[in-house]
Amino acid sequence: MRRRHRHRLLRPLVAFAAVTGIFATATPDADSTPLEGTSAASATTTVFYYTKTKNWPATYLHYAPDGGSWTTVPGVRMETACTDWVKETVDLGSAAGLQATFSNGSGTWDNNGGTNYALGTGTVTVKDGVVAHSDPCADTGTGTGNQATVYYSTATSGWSTANLHYAPTGGSWTTVPGVGMESACTGWWKRTVDLGTATTLQAAFNNGNGVWDNNNGGDYALGSGTTTVKDRTVTAGAADPCAAQAPDTQAPTTPTGVTASATGTSVVVSWKPATDDTAVTKYQLTRTGGTEGTVVTDVGSTVWSDTGLAEKTTYTYTVKAVDAAGNTSPASSAAPVTTGEKAPAPAAGTPLGTDPRKDPIYFVLTARFYDGDTSNDRGGSQDVTSGNAANNDPMFRGDFKGLVGKLDYIKALGFSAVWITPVVLNRSDYDYHGYHGYDFYKVDPRLESAGASYQDLINAAHAKGMKIYQDVVYNHSSRWGAKGLFTPTVYGVRDTQWSWYYDEKNAGFDYDGLTVEPKSGKSYYNGDLWSTAEPSGNTCLNWGKPTGGKSPEGYTLYNCQWPSPTSGMFPKAYYHQCWIGNWEGEDSRSCWLHEDLADFNTENATVQNYLIGAYDKYIDMGVDGFRVDTAVHIPRVTWNRRFLPAIHDRVTQRFGADAAKNFFVFGEVGAFVNDKWNRGSVNHSAQFFTWKERKEYSADDEKAAIEQYDYEEQLGTGNQPTSANAFLNGNSYHTPDRSQFSGMNIIDMRMHMNFGDAQNAYNNGKDSDDSVNDATYNVVYVDSHDYGPNKSSTRYSGGTDAWAENMALMWTFRGIPTLYYGSEIEFQKGKQIDCGPTCPLTGTGRAYYGDHLAGGVTASDFGTVASASGEVATTLAQPLVKHLQRLNRIRRAIPALQSGQYSTDGITGSMAFKRRYTSGSTDSFALVTVTGGATYTGIPNGTYTDAVTGDVKTVSGGTLSVAAPGKGNLRVYVLNGPGKIGADGPYLK
């Protein structure tokens, strides 16, 4: 998606507003410019306008030099230049460009969709809304000497216009950017030029706006006659690529491997992709059986969920493949399936559905937490080179069985929600963390065991009154694509150098992450995707040719060996086609973050349906919420129009409106700065994602994303909505206004970035709260699997006292306190959080935690240990653990600390505030000071009891003063409170 900056103009006598579009012109560098030819800026602009698609009887140019006045409407009449083109030369004086619109002189306008045209100097063409630089009427190839007809393909680059910049051998170069080429057919541009007595020419191509293809700095050597240039391959004496093609009459192959499985009255149908001589564009799924008769459905992927069927009824499914020409394959073999009983709402598998602010969150990397089943451990291709093998520490080590077995440990700490890393089947060379999703409809078998499936984990947690928040990824798949949507069939060459790493293609092997590929007997990853010969239908550029580079081991690197958005490996419909440049710019929402993270085109309906269908499965299993990875890399308008309503509707459909209200969605919006708005960009600030849209955009999601970006950036930070939902009205709680809530809450990135010091985190958090829809739902943590405070690459190492102070703030201030696994004992403090496979995991912030959990533990309640033995008993005796347990018990006993609004009005003290929550018969009012002393004025009279010490203070004049409790300590005076909660420990005394 292309970003434009816009501002308003006023123009006399024209009934539409003009908005400026600024087209950037870059100075070409050595790698992107032709070897010859330059052009100096002129004080005039010759504007060529394409008339064929308008059929106007006359064309007028209405313009204003930059900084000057507009012509009188309708402007100046343009003169005929050549077939389909008119022109006008404008004197700019000292201006560097002009604003322009066009009309037929009788009230019909082309003003670029309301944004005007921003034109520079020199020769400019405007054709069907596209601005470029060339002379479309120069050198029409009608001389008597030798001629060259050049066809140039833009199918890969996606250019919307093309110029030929050339020099006949022995002659001069054309003026940059050369002569305009004409559209010949889809993806091809054509130009015939006179060579005189020369028989060859040097050439380069460009899009008229500063982007060049000069054959990697070598120019192209072309001959007379007809030549094609496609993906830097020159074909002399070529046939006309636009000659009439024989109609496509070949049908796709018949889909195979059709399976249908029933769960209750829902059926999931899947099949293997069919092939075609051009491309399969869709599948026709036919269902027979039941009382519904025959039902035919068009499907864009190879997975389909069929819901709401009759009970105990046999259905049969067949699938046909269809190509773009409408050729249809024979029907597949039939897949029969019998539905079961319509499932009642079971106690297990149903989200708990309570206010998420009541539940502190414990965050685990499942594969690194506790190993309950060694049979599903997997080291992967990097096991030895990473150093993990030497430590007997496979990357996939922890699992659901281990997590189920240690839920009581987490409950004994006092946590009632567990955030787990993504559960979908992953696929990369180092994928234990879960963020390289491959089959979004399948739980990764390396996490499951007999009797310990993902469903078993959810049910076990619910039985203990604990929630499961599933980490989900909508933004990207793995480098291998997404099974059921699109997976590349070949990447590159497997030769003797690479056979140790990439297995020979094996059509009979279906990757599941767990099963060893049988032909090699060693790999779990790549055996079904690599080839030693280029297949027919390959789309990757320069397949199999050496790049000229070497791997760290000294092996030859080949083109197409690694995925790339610009290689042609991935279809534009499903995947974006660029590398990210500006992390706070528009391209961050539509480009790849990394080669292992193929970026979904989330504005495509097929992609949306694939992801919605996948995550519906996990909603149906009863998860309690989603943590959304890389939320900022998808436009808010796409979240608000597609994904968030789909989540809400599915939960409502399955579990009711109350469950949907409390299904907790919290997004990662990576804003790593200490200001309120991320470098002034509202679209890349965390709080922006908590709001609904405030205007309608185009129905097309891609256009809507650009429109939204432009609209909100133009409004800027000073015109964003504000909220009082987190703030008390004096001492009174008020019903929050959630009418403009988008459905997505956020991780409090600003507090996270500042938690090197609790005071900084507190001050920064408060400063942003009026721009969040409801900051009482913010997820607050010190460090995570990605970063420590201030974007540190190491786990927090500020010391035990500082940890205790941070915890005291998080557990009493607004928001939901969250702890990364092991921080309760300062696990791996100061260690690099992640170094990929370049070092062993045991030395990182993602080390295996299970050694600290060996033994048995039983929790009698949240924050209370009934019994513990072995190493886990030692872990539970650590000072921060005791601190954490008591904080959780205090927070759980005081509703104001869970869901209350807050205020600092009338309060002196560095980290001091008052909170209140009122609902029905509940009225909870608390005065909190962290570390320092505080005085509270204008508060309600009555009896206040400190939940930490049990101290009682009677207020009769509206004032209460508290002495400084000290670092790592806390005072919580509660009006008509429950008294002292828990026993004194190393902190909280």
Side-chain angles (χ1 to χ4, degrees), residues 102-134:
F102 303 88
S103 79
N104 67 353
S106 301
T108 300
W109 287 87
D110 171 9
N111 71 333
N112 195 26
T115 63
N116 291 338
Y117 289 97
L119 310 179
T121 58
T123 301
V124 180
T125 62
V126 180
K127 181 179 180 180
D128 298 334
V130 176
V131 176
H133 299 266
S134 65

Side-chain angles (χ1 to χ4, degrees), residues 249-499:
T249 59
Q250 181 175 331
T253 61
T254 303
T256 60
V258 182
T259 61
S261 59
T263 302
T265 56
S266 298
V267 172
V268 175
V269 187
S270 63
W271 57 93
K272 294 181 178 180
T275 60
D276 188 58
D277 59 333
T278 54
V280 175
T281 56
K282 65 179 180 180
Y283 295 90
Q284 286 183 350
L285 180 76
T286 300
R287 183 188 76 208
T288 58
T291 60
E292 300 91 344
T294 300
V295 177
V296 179
T297 304
D298 286 343
V299 181
S301 66
T302 58
V303 179
W304 178 251
S305 297
D306 210 1
T307 59
L309 302 174
E311 295 182 284
K312 298 180 180 179
T313 301
T314 298
Y315 294 92
T316 300
Y317 294 85
T318 58
V319 183
K320 297 178 181 180
V322 184
D323 65 16
N327 299 309
T328 303
S329 75
S332 68
S333 298
V337 64
T338 301
T339 58
E341 294 182 354
K342 185 176 182 180
T350 299
L352 297 183
T354 54
D355 188 334
R357 295 173 295 181
K358 296 181 178 180
D359 302 299
I361 302 170
Y362 192 75
F363 172 34
V364 302
L365 268 71
T366 308
R368 308 302 302 157
F369 188 63
Y370 192 77
D371 194 0
D373 179 4
T374 58
S375 69
N376 59 12
D377 293 356
R378 292 293 182 271
S381 61
Q382 303 297 302
D383 195 33
V384 174
T385 56
S386 65
N388 289 338
N391 291 288
N392 192 28
D393 185 28
M395 60 165 183
F396 262 98
R397 190 171 177 183
D399 47 39
F400 292 147
K401 187 172 183 179
L403 185 52
V404 168
K406 298 303 176 184
L407 285 175
D408 264 35
Y409 168 77
I410 298 172
K411 185 171 183 176
L413 295 178
F415 292 94
S416 50
V418 186
W419 158 15
I420 60 173
T421 40
V423 305
V424 304
L425 176 61
N426 264 230
R427 185 171 198 152
S428 80
D429 303 315
Y430 214 54
D431 53 2
Y432 65 94
H433 43 68
Y435 296 98
H436 294 164
Y438 171 66
D439 188 345
F440 287 70
Y441 285 78
K442 182 181 179 67
V443 175
D444 201 308
R446 292 168 290 187
L447 298 175
E448 294 194 303
S449 309
S453 66
Y454 185 35
Q455 185 69 70
D456 291 324
L457 168 64
I458 295 168
N459 295 348
H462 288 172
K464 295 180 182 295
M466 301 169 70
K467 295 179 177 180
I468 294 293
Y469 295 150
Q470 179 179 330
D471 210 320
V472 296
V473 184
Y474 286 77
N475 178 61
H476 57 262
S477 71
S478 73
R479 68 162 61 156
W480 312 109
K483 185 177 181 181
L485 179 70
F486 174 80
T487 57
T489 55
V490 63
Y491 278 88
V493 172
R494 175 188 181 270
D495 61 11
T496 56
Q497 297 178 92
W498 289 103
S499 60

Side-chain angles (χ1 to χ4, degrees), residues 361-364 369 409 413 415 781-785 787-789 794-797 799-800 802-804 806-807 810-811 818-830 833 845 849 852 875 878-884:
I361 302 170
Y362 192 75
F363 172 34
V364 302
F369 188 63
Y409 168 77
L413 295 178
F415 292 94
Y781 56 64
V782 173
D783 62 1
S784 73
H785 60 325
Y787 295 107
T794 60
R795 288 193 75 158
Y796 183 70
S797 58
T800 310
W803 252 124
N806 287 342
M807 289 179 181
M810 287 194 293
W811 262 256
T818 301
L819 198 72
Y820 183 38
Y821 81 99
S823 291
E824 63 270 26
I825 61 169
E826 298 178 85
F827 179 61
Q828 299 297 91
K829 62 181 179 181
I833 293 172
Y849 192 56
H852 297 277
T875 300
Q878 299 307 301
L880 278 180
V881 170
K882 297 298 185 183
H883 182 56
L884 185 62

Side-chain angles (χ1 to χ4, degrees), residues 27 50 67 76 85 98 124 150 161 216 297 309 372 409 521 602 636 653 669 773 792 905 964:
T27 301
Y50 185 70
V76 295
W85 289 93
L98 68 154
V124 180
V150 181
T161 186
N216 288 325
T297 304
L309 302 174
Y409 168 77
T602 48
R636 187 182 74 177
Q653 175 192 355
V669 180
N773 182 269
S792 167
D905 293 343

